[in-house]
Amino acid sequence: MAYHNPYQAAQYNNAPSDQGFLWNIFQRVDKDHSGAISDTELQQALSNGTWTPFNPVTVHSIISMFDRDNKGGVNFHEFGGVWKYITDWQNIFRTYDADNSGLIDRNELKRALTCFGYCLSDQFYNILIEKFDRQRRGQVAFDDFIQCCIVLQRLTDMFRRYDTDQDGWIQVSYEQYLSMIFSVV
């Protein structure tokens, strides 16, 4: 059972970057010039490589990771973290997209998650592909790969709270189970 994911938002809060470059991008993405980038604005600015809209659930997850005051968007300072987070995920995606197809297949997903420390069954990888393959191609696009990893990490974190002896087993009541799931979905 894996208990860590090296790609959590906390490490990106003070992401160093060329401020002028980031400011230009921020201004282009902030279409309504409100000083904050909303889910919709970020979704329109991102590409998943499949000519389909970027997964709105993924966009919302990313925005909420960096929106420190829960205002529904990220300001310029927070955007630096968003930019680094997405750029790092692009690099990770390219690393595991062995055939350069622009999609992650089951074997590539298994290799990625195994490198992240997860030890999952082949049957579970099939479930992940089925759940996160919005295009129904048997492969996962960039945005859905991020979402898969985010959800898996959140569920793992929740499980870990109850797995106090870290043996990979927990005992929870039905209501605890529902609370765990509803806090993630």
Side-chain angles (χ1 to χ4, degrees):
M1 160 108 348
Y3 286 138
H4 86 100
N5 184 335
Y7 307 101
Q8 294 177 317
Q11 67 182 333
Y12 297 98
N13 288 336
N14 296 315
S17 286
D18 175 4
Q19 295 296 307
F21 174 75
L22 272 181
W23 178 248
N24 287 334
I25 293 171
F26 181 85
Q27 287 183 309
R28 281 185 281 174
V29 175
D30 182 18
K31 298 283 187 197
D32 65 0
H33 306 291
S34 66
I37 294 174
S38 68
D39 291 12
T40 304
E41 290 170 326
L42 185 60
Q43 180 187 22
Q44 291 171 353
L46 294 174
S47 169
N48 63 11
T50 64
W51 301 101
T52 59
F54 211 85
N55 185 334
V57 177
T58 305
V59 173
H60 180 73
S61 294
I62 293 170
I63 290 284
S64 66
M65 282 182 220
F66 293 93
D67 180 11
R68 293 188 198 131
D69 53 5
N70 296 318
K71 64 189 168 309
V74 291
N75 62 31
F76 175 67
H77 179 71
E78 295 162 335
F79 179 70
V82 170
W83 179 261
K84 181 163 179 18
Y85 187 78
I86 293 170
T87 301
D88 285 351
W89 273 115
Q90 285 176 323
N91 292 331
I92 291 164
F93 185 86
R94 287 183 190 124
T95 297
Y96 294 104
D97 179 17
D99 61 0
N100 293 316
S101 66
L103 299 166
I104 296 286
D105 66 26
R106 189 183 150 298
N107 292 329
E108 292 166 336
L109 181 63
K110 182 177 182 176
R111 191 168 54 258
L113 295 180
T114 299
C115 286
F116 294 166
Y118 292 97
C119 183
L120 305 167
S121 70
D122 286 342
Q123 181 182 358
F124 193 75
Y125 284 105
N126 292 336
I127 292 169
L128 289 174
I129 292 290
E130 184 177 319
K131 172 70 177 163
F132 293 99
D133 174 18
R134 289 185 305 138
Q135 305 303 313
R136 300 294 173 230
R137 299 179 186 175
Q139 299 174 319
V140 180
F142 172 61
D143 51 343
D144 298 319
F145 174 71
I146 295 172
Q147 189 62 28
C148 174
C149 293
I150 289 171
V151 168
L152 190 57
Q153 181 61 44
R154 286 180 180 166
L155 290 170
T156 299
D157 289 345
M158 186 64 64
F159 185 92
R160 186 177 189 189
R161 290 183 199 157
Y162 291 92
D163 187 13
T164 55
D165 59 358
Q166 296 193 11
D167 66 353
W169 292 90
I170 62 173
Q171 186 171 357
V172 295
S173 70
Y174 180 62
E175 192 170 312
Q176 287 172 316
Y177 167 75
L178 291 176
S179 295
M180 289 168 56
I181 298 303
F182 285 137
S183 70
V184 173
V185 290

